[in-house]
Amino acid sequence: MLSAATGLLTAATLLAPHSATAADELRLSGYDVVAAPGSVPRFYPAVESGSVIGKVVVAVGTQPMADPAGAGAGLPEGYALRGNECAQPAGYTGVFVCDGPTYQKPDVLVPRGAGDATLYWGFAHMPTGGDLAAAVKEARGAGALPADGRHGTGKVTVKSRAHALLNTVGFDLPAVPDGGTVRQQLRVHANDTGRLTLRFARAENQLTRDAPPLRIGRVTTGSGATCEIRYATLPDDLPNVACALEPGDHVIGYELTAGPGQYAQKLQAHTRYDIYDLGVWDESDVKRISAPFLARGRTVQPWHGLHARDTTGRLWEYDGTRAATAPLSPRDETGSGWQTYNAISSLSPYAQGPFSRDAVRPSAATRGLGDLVARDASGTLWYYDRQFVDGKPHAPRVRVGSGWNAYDRVTGAGDLDGDRLVDLVARDRSGVLWFYGGTGRLTDGNRFKARVRVGGGWQGYDRLAGGADLSGDGRADLLARDTSGGLWLYEGTGKATAPYAARVRVGGGWQGYDQLVVTGDLTDDGRADAVARDRTGVLWLYRGTGKPTVPFAARTRIGGGWNTYDLLF
């Protein structure tokens, strides 16, 4: 494809039928292009006026078209010279005879690994009944003849990938202040005349949220460079700035401004430098990506949600909306066959994953965002790693071990011991609570350390729910409901040997609920919340306060019909 840079012939000029009348004088012209490896430069003159009656003879070679005998005729090894609609007469190397219509196109396929090279071509108009041998000499020697519109020359300069990479871009990208403006700059070494584009995108593996866009403005350059703003807002993955650069060293400055209400985000600058008139889409340009830089603002809290299993064993996923009035999005089915488990728990609240343009498999980036454990009827415990793949929030299960039917409660506990790994608590049938610290392993079933005894007397509770910080101290806590409906808060200590402090009574009347889940922050206020389902199927939201003595505000009705599920987690 040809660029639209000033002074270059456009594709429309070359390919569109000429609209001049037959009375117009025929004038043909050659042109020069810079071509990339893998591109397909064409050897055919532009028709400036008149109509081509007769034929056009084109000669191609590796030397300038100044020798009627054809010195350097033909092209280097590896170049695929193609006549297309033009004939290649016998006895001539690198010669094409075209009937005249401009859609005919002798061309060449430049090898993908081509080095720097120059290809030359000449042309001559041959009237109907003209002498082919004379026309070939005229085309091969066109560079030494006076220009008259009936013959001429062109040149294809092939610049290798190594040549293109001599054009470099450096980045000076200080952070964008919260609600303020910063000046950033690009340092460009232009080895060749070229076109630079700049855009911005979010960096990988970060939480994101829609927010007022940043704006770019006040672009400055030195001599030999002209720039314009194409799109004033970012990050939209659209080109924000485009520049035309002459060879030399350039500094291109601009301002980024964050508006009020901006959320903190990590961004990267993406540049492309194009030196070619004929390139290969998305391959020829020299691409550079900066290290992430920060746009300061409010901390982005994870989007939390909820899982539900229906009575047929299908698992459903409710993503969070962060809106207190309607905190859950419509459900999505994520799998079937979950009725084989008699206990399922999230090790930490189900949460939004890192921003990524590709699937994110289980890794450090997915830890703490909703890994699951599930126990089957034989007492085997299975581990489901969180991942970020469309329609598959969890990777295939990994076997942890057997003997877990010794417990009547298996509950995700979040990070209890402060090592940033998710943990588990389990209550045996004598009422003793045990702590299983996470190992963080991803390659095998060794997911938990040896158990640690927390203490006895836990048989007085019929519900346990944990995994998030309810008291505002940054440590995961646990809710426990006793058989009389009293709800108790056990604050986390961060110590594996004694993970919970003395209990604090939250309140009574909780016997009206048959499901209780600590969900994490559903309302985007930075505090963990909980949901509870009453026995009529209504789901209620309890907004967190961050206060251990009164951890929840008054309940808010989410909606009815939740009795179609036999388990929420």
Side-chain angles (χ1 to χ4, degrees), residues 342-349 371-375 381-383 404 406-416 421-428 432-438 448 454 458 461-468 470 476-481 488 490 499-500 515-519 567-569:
N342 55 32
I344 306 174
S345 182
S346 292
L347 295 176
S348 57
D371 290 3
L372 299 182
V373 290
R375 183 185 64 193
L381 191 70
W382 300 89
Y383 197 106
W404 287 79
Y407 302 113
D408 61 4
R409 287 285 184 272
V410 177
T411 303
D415 176 18
L416 278 181
L421 302 173
V422 287
D423 307 321
L424 179 71
V425 293
R427 184 183 69 185
D428 66 27
V432 175
L433 191 69
W434 298 88
F435 166 66
Y436 285 85
F448 299 106
V454 176
W458 288 77
Y461 301 118
D462 60 7
R463 288 281 167 189
L464 299 177
L470 294 169
D477 306 318
L478 182 70
L479 292 176
R481 185 185 69 183
W488 301 85
Y490 284 85
Y500 295 116
Q515 295 287 319
L516 176 62
V517 183
V518 176
T519 58
L567 182 63
L568 304 179
F569 59 96

Side-chain angles (χ1 to χ4, degrees), residues 497-520:
T497 54
Y500 295 116
R503 69 181 187 175
V504 176
R505 192 174 191 274
V506 173
W510 289 77
Q511 70 274 17
Y513 300 116
D514 60 5
Q515 295 287 319
L516 176 62
V517 183
V518 176
T519 58

Side-chain angles (χ1 to χ4, degrees), residues 310-391:
D310 67 24
T311 54
T312 68
R314 292 181 298 173
L315 194 64
W316 299 88
E317 174 184 288
Y318 286 86
D319 285 333
T321 66
R322 299 183 178 182
T325 54
L328 299 174
S329 298
R331 68 182 187 176
D332 290 310
E333 185 179 354
T334 62
S336 59
W338 290 79
Q339 72 276 11
T340 59
Y341 299 120
N342 55 32
I344 306 174
S345 182
S346 292
L347 295 176
S348 57
Y350 168 70
Q352 169 199 12
F355 175 86
S356 179
R357 284 170 285 275
D358 300 302
V360 180
R361 302 293 179 181
S363 63
T366 66
R367 279 290 178 257
L369 297 176
D371 290 3
L372 299 182
V373 290
R375 183 185 64 193
D376 63 25
S378 73
T380 299
L381 191 70
W382 300 89
Y383 197 106
Y384 286 84
D385 290 291
R386 183 84 158 93
Q387 64 179 12
F388 304 103
V389 178
D390 286 344

Side-chain angles (χ1 to χ4, degrees), residues 186-208:
L186 308 179
R187 292 172 282 101
V188 184
H189 172 67
N191 186 73
D192 302 89
T193 297
R195 296 160 295 278
L196 176 76
T197 58
L198 166 68
R199 68 176 178 87
F200 296 87
R202 291 185 178 92
E204 292 279 357
N205 296 333
Q206 62 173 324
L207 298 181
T208 61

